[in-house]
Amino acid sequence: MRNEAPAPHQWQLAREAQDGRSAARSSRKDGLASSPETPPPDQRKLAEIVAYEIEQQIVAQGWPVGILLGSEPELIERFGVSRAVLRESVRILENHTTARMRRGPGGGLIVTEPLTTALIRPVALYLEYCRVTPEQIIETGTILELAGVELAAERINEEGILTLRECLEVERKASMEGLPSMARIHVTIAELSGNPVLPLFVKMLTELEDARMKRHREGSAAVVSMVGHDAHAAIVDAVVRGDGALARHRMSRHLSDLSSSVL
Ligand SMILES: [Zn+2]
């Protein structure tokens, strides 16, 4: 077990700086100085540092989902901050989906499983800011997916084969009902690469591409899904056989068909 309190922490230094400024200014409590929704800048900075420290503790403990990190009064005591600052830290953690505050008796700050949706929106906004083109999204996605499908074919096991078959079956039913649910298999294949970096970025790029298609090409998703399912079945077949080169070739052809139909 790692020693939990090596001093001085960043938050301790920031808190001391804040204490100095607060004492010089007035002796009012945090809650009176500003509304709890919008703490002043120095308190927000302190809240960010406390949130960062809590996240580092979650990482150091091996990300124990569901574990209670402490009640609100315990955390206020541990970090030596005001209720307003602690609540701002909790708001940051809840936004990051790294922890959430459970109310009521026996409640407190609980470690959660982080959601990729919390990452995708800021990344999507950043790429909009960079004026990313659809061609660039597809170019990056292709590099990642070809690497992913080859690794998946090399590393596939019985459990992975079952997962792929289930995913194809869900997709087959969805495409028969005219529901486009085509992205899932791409993410699943990337997951089976055994490298968690690949599915994260494949998912992110797929969702960006979907959002763009919804904005610009309403109604075309169902057409893509009919052709897509057969291509997916052929790719899965190559992965299941452990033929990395064939899986890569089929994925490459499928992605190039997809990009010529969407660009
Ligand atoms: Zn596809």
PDB file of all heavy atoms in Angstrom, residues 182 185-186 228 232 254-255 258, ligand 1:
ATOM      1  N   MET A 182     -24.106  -0.205 -36.885  1.00  0.00           N
ATOM      2  CA  MET A 182     -22.977  -0.780 -37.599  1.00  0.00           C
ATOM      3  C   MET A 182     -21.627  -0.496 -36.956  1.00  0.00           C
ATOM      4  O   MET A 182     -20.652  -1.150 -37.270  1.00  0.00           O
ATOM      5  CB  MET A 182     -22.964  -0.266 -39.043  1.00  0.00           C
ATOM      6  CG  MET A 182     -24.284  -0.455 -39.766  1.00  0.00           C
ATOM      7  SD  MET A 182     -24.836  -2.179 -39.755  1.00  0.00           S
ATOM      8  CE  MET A 182     -23.713  -2.873 -40.944  1.00  0.00           C
ATOM      9  N   ILE A 185     -19.396  -3.302 -34.183  1.00  0.00           N
ATOM     10  CA  ILE A 185     -18.443  -4.357 -34.550  1.00  0.00           C
ATOM     11  C   ILE A 185     -17.029  -3.785 -34.739  1.00  0.00           C
ATOM     12  O   ILE A 185     -16.045  -4.432 -34.394  1.00  0.00           O
ATOM     13  CB  ILE A 185     -18.912  -5.136 -35.812  1.00  0.00           C
ATOM     14  CG1 ILE A 185     -18.094  -6.431 -36.005  1.00  0.00           C
ATOM     15  CG2 ILE A 185     -18.798  -4.294 -37.079  1.00  0.00           C
ATOM     16  CD1 ILE A 185     -18.687  -7.616 -35.331  1.00  0.00           C
ATOM     17  N   HIS A 186     -16.951  -2.561 -35.248  1.00  0.00           N
ATOM     18  CA  HIS A 186     -15.631  -1.934 -35.436  1.00  0.00           C
ATOM     19  C   HIS A 186     -14.948  -1.740 -34.078  1.00  0.00           C
ATOM     20  O   HIS A 186     -13.758  -1.997 -33.931  1.00  0.00           O
ATOM     21  CB  HIS A 186     -15.778  -0.589 -36.154  1.00  0.00           C
ATOM     22  CG  HIS A 186     -16.121  -0.732 -37.607  1.00  0.00           C
ATOM     23  ND1 HIS A 186     -15.184  -0.699 -38.601  1.00  0.00           N
ATOM     24  CD2 HIS A 186     -17.310  -0.928 -38.224  1.00  0.00           C
ATOM     25  CE1 HIS A 186     -15.775  -0.860 -39.783  1.00  0.00           C
ATOM     26  NE2 HIS A 186     -17.073  -0.994 -39.578  1.00  0.00           N
ATOM     27  N   GLY A 228     -22.883  -3.129 -45.356  1.00  0.00           N
ATOM     28  CA  GLY A 228     -21.910  -3.254 -44.266  1.00  0.00           C
ATOM     29  C   GLY A 228     -21.951  -4.605 -43.576  1.00  0.00           C
ATOM     30  O   GLY A 228     -20.904  -5.157 -43.265  1.00  0.00           O
ATOM     31  N   HIS A 232     -18.827  -7.025 -42.786  1.00  0.00           N
ATOM     32  CA  HIS A 232     -18.458  -7.325 -41.397  1.00  0.00           C
ATOM     33  C   HIS A 232     -18.317  -8.833 -41.182  1.00  0.00           C
ATOM     34  O   HIS A 232     -17.384  -9.294 -40.527  1.00  0.00           O
ATOM     35  CB  HIS A 232     -19.507  -6.769 -40.429  1.00  0.00           C
ATOM     36  CG  HIS A 232     -19.523  -5.269 -40.362  1.00  0.00           C
ATOM     37  ND1 HIS A 232     -20.500  -4.566 -39.710  1.00  0.00           N
ATOM     38  CD2 HIS A 232     -18.679  -4.342 -40.888  1.00  0.00           C
ATOM     39  CE1 HIS A 232     -20.251  -3.265 -39.817  1.00  0.00           C
ATOM     40  NE2 HIS A 232     -19.155  -3.113 -40.535  1.00  0.00           N
ATOM     41  N   HIS A 254     -13.398  -2.741 -46.994  1.00  0.00           N
ATOM     42  CA  HIS A 254     -14.652  -2.256 -46.394  1.00  0.00           C
ATOM     43  C   HIS A 254     -14.564  -0.763 -46.052  1.00  0.00           C
ATOM     44  O   HIS A 254     -15.482  -0.001 -46.359  1.00  0.00           O
ATOM     45  CB  HIS A 254     -14.954  -3.088 -45.141  1.00  0.00           C
ATOM     46  CG  HIS A 254     -16.086  -2.570 -44.305  1.00  0.00           C
ATOM     47  ND1 HIS A 254     -17.332  -2.298 -44.832  1.00  0.00           N
ATOM     48  CD2 HIS A 254     -16.167  -2.267 -42.982  1.00  0.00           C
ATOM     49  CE1 HIS A 254     -18.117  -1.851 -43.865  1.00  0.00           C
ATOM     50  NE2 HIS A 254     -17.435  -1.818 -42.729  1.00  0.00           N
ATOM     51  N   LEU A 255     -13.450  -0.355 -45.445  1.00  0.00           N
ATOM     52  CA  LEU A 255     -13.318   1.061 -45.054  1.00  0.00           C
ATOM     53  C   LEU A 255     -13.242   1.950 -46.295  1.00  0.00           C
ATOM     54  O   LEU A 255     -13.765   3.066 -46.302  1.00  0.00           O
ATOM     55  CB  LEU A 255     -12.089   1.262 -44.166  1.00  0.00           C
ATOM     56  CG  LEU A 255     -12.170   0.616 -42.775  1.00  0.00           C
ATOM     57  CD1 LEU A 255     -10.851   0.807 -42.029  1.00  0.00           C
ATOM     58  CD2 LEU A 255     -13.322   1.179 -41.958  1.00  0.00           C
ATOM     59  N   LEU A 258     -16.709   2.270 -47.549  1.00  0.00           N
ATOM     60  CA  LEU A 258     -17.447   3.169 -46.665  1.00  0.00           C
ATOM     61  C   LEU A 258     -17.085   4.623 -46.954  1.00  0.00           C
ATOM     62  O   LEU A 258     -17.966   5.477 -47.071  1.00  0.00           O
ATOM     63  CB  LEU A 258     -17.070   2.898 -45.210  1.00  0.00           C
ATOM     64  CG  LEU A 258     -17.900   1.920 -44.408  1.00  0.00           C
ATOM     65  CD1 LEU A 258     -17.423   1.948 -42.960  1.00  0.00           C
ATOM     66  CD2 LEU A 258     -19.369   2.276 -44.470  1.00  0.00           C
TER      67      LEU A 258
HETATM   68 ZN    ZN B   1     -18.423  -1.326 -41.029  1.00  0.00          ZN
END
